[in-house]
Every structure is written in structure tokens, then in C-alpha cells.
Amino acid sequence: MKQLLRALKRCTVIAAVALATVSLQPTASAAPAPVVGGTRAAQGEFPFMVRLSMGCGGALYAKDIVLTAAHCVSGSGNNTSIVATTGVVDLQSSAAVKVRSTKVLRAPGYNGTGKDWALIKLASPVNQPTLKIATTTAYNQGTFTVAGWGAATEGGGQQRYLLKANVPYVSDAACQDAYGGSLVPSEELCAGYLATGGVDTCQGDSGGPMFRKDNAGAWLQVGIVSWGEGCARAGYPGVYTEVSTFASAIASAAATL
């Protein structure tokens, strides 16, 4: 019962012209949209954002490494099948920079519950700013920003333009109550409008970053879009991988790519 609540939220697989929402986690379900309740991002506003060809999002951890969700990839090893699109908010723009993957490293021990992070090595570096990740829990509260090209409504298709929205922190206790105890508090972070819903990430946003400004005014990634019940439903906040928990492991893994 507990596992049935781990509704996979944000992964879409693109086949031919059709978009199909699929659960890549053992017992997951649908997720928040590109940002249900979001608005269009301006060109250059979040230059670290990456769209992945398997229907997920990500952020540039390094010029040639994308940080995304473990449930977006099938495992670790050499992989040239993923195409990362960067540099644009409009996926159809002729200015889009597309780079193929060479290798994937999925979080060691990932089994569908927690540890939802992965790194994708790119064939060549891209000329875009990277997104610094949180190394402590100091920024794990407050109001966060989410962005993505996922569905704008539950069950909808991916978006052409990057959407953005702000979501407030939801305590571990409140999130645990919402999901019947299926949260992994030491590895996951929740955000959203618990009482009203209406704003969230969704199918196709998996792997994308949740971020906020640090004390110096720079963007800092605190979460990775992971799972939830539906999209923007009242009573069910979005659940994100708590980046600070895995900062050291991510850095060590990146050094091997």
C-alpha cells in the first residue's frame, strides 16, 4: 500500500509523434506538470535547464554533465542514446544546442525508493552556466522555483516552451501524513500548496531541478523532481530528491565520468 502511493510524476517517453506517460519506478504514478499553474520563462532566465530526449528534465551540473533523476534512466554504463537540448526555452528554436550522451551513472543502490539521482555525461561541453547544488540543509526551506517542459495539466503532453513556478516548502511531517508514511525524510524534500494545490511539477518534469537563491543571490539547486500523487492536487505536494543529502556522492560520481 505504501509503495502504491509513490506515484511517479514526471516522466514522459516520446514515441514517434505521440507522447505517453510511463512509470519508470517500480510502483510509481503520475507527477506534477512542467509546472502546472506556471508561466513562460524568458529566454536566458534559467540557462542551466536541460531537456532530455527520453522525456525528462535536468540541470547542468558541469558543462558536460547533466544532473537528473535515477528513474529517468535504465542503469549505469556507456549510453549514446540520450540527446540533451540546452540553450533555449523554445524546444523548436533553431538556436537549440543538442548534444548526445556518452555515459550514464545512476545512484548506487537505487531501487525505486529514495536515492533518485543520476548523472549523464555529454559528448562535448556546452557553453551555458551550470547550476550549483546545495551541500547543506541551510536552504531546504522557504520558497522554491521549479521549471520544465512537462505537462501543464495532469495527463497532458510535454510543452514546447519552458514553464516556471514558485512552490513553498512543506514539512516532512505534513508530507509524510499526505503520503501515508511513504516519504523517505532523510533523502526527500516536499514542496507545493498543500491546502489548495494548483501549482506543481508534472509528467515530463522528472529529473528537473528545484532551486532558490542563496545568500549571495545565486541560484542553488536543492531538489530534483521525483514523484507525487497526480499533478497539483490539493493534499499532495510534489516530492523531490533532497540534493544536499547526496551532494558528496554526486561530486564523487561526477569525478569518475
Side-chain angles (χ1 to χ4, degrees):
M1 190 61 179
K2 193 172 170 183
Q3 286 298 317
L4 291 176
L5 289 173
R6 293 190 71 84
L8 180 118
K9 291 182 157 198
R10 302 140 205 211
C11 226
T12 25
V13 169
I14 305 170
V17 181
L19 291 174
T21 300
V22 297
S23 173
L24 300 182
Q25 296 192 103
T27 50
S29 96
V35 185
V36 175
T39 58
R40 192 179 295 185
Q43 177 62 35
E45 187 173 5
F46 308 121
F48 45 76
M49 291 295 302
V50 177
R51 181 64 178 172
L52 299 170
S53 56
M54 81 287 275
C56 281
L60 288 172
Y61 175 81
K63 297 286 188 180
D64 59 350
I65 298 176
V66 177
L67 176 60
T68 187
H71 75 259
C72 287
V73 299
S74 58
S76 298
N78 294 332
N79 186 325
T80 60
S81 68
I82 302 168
V83 176
T85 300
T86 69
V88 295
V89 295
D90 178 1
L91 293 178
Q92 295 181 24
S93 171
S94 60
V97 176
K98 297 179 183 292
V99 184
R100 193 167 290 277
S101 63
T102 60
K103 188 179 293 185
V104 171
L105 196 160
R106 190 167 69 175
Y110 173 73
N111 64 2
T113 300
K115 299 179 177 62
D116 196 7
W117 64 268
L119 296 173
I120 297 174
K121 176 76 169 181
L122 302 180
S124 59
V126 296
N127 187 26
Q128 295 294 335
T130 58
L131 179 59
K132 183 171 62 174
I133 66 171
T135 57
T136 73
T137 60
Y139 297 101
N140 284 2
Q141 294 190 40
T143 298
F144 310 113
T145 298
V146 289
W149 289 271
T153 57
E154 187 174 327
Q158 84 163 16
Q159 302 295 295
R160 171 178 173 177
Y161 297 98
L162 180 67
L163 298 184
K164 64 176 181 177
N166 292 328
V167 287
Y169 168 76
V170 173
S171 71
D172 287 348
C175 197
Q176 196 72 287
D177 286 345
Y179 287 109
S182 61
L183 184 73
V184 183
S186 62
E187 300 183 359
E188 296 174 325
L189 181 66
C190 300
Y193 293 88
L194 191 60
T196 61
V199 181
D200 197 2
T201 48
C202 203
Q203 293 92 357
D205 288 324
S206 282
M210 179 170 73
F211 46 99
R212 54 162 291 177
K213 292 288 183 69
D214 64 14
N215 289 337
W219 288 119
L220 180 73
Q221 182 172 359
V222 298
I224 299 170
V225 179
S226 184
W227 64 278
E229 179 66 27
C231 298
R233 296 184 188 180
Y236 295 101
V239 183
Y240 302 80
T241 302
E242 189 171 301
V243 170
S244 61
T245 297
F246 302 103
S248 178
I250 291 170
S252 296
T256 70
L257 291 177

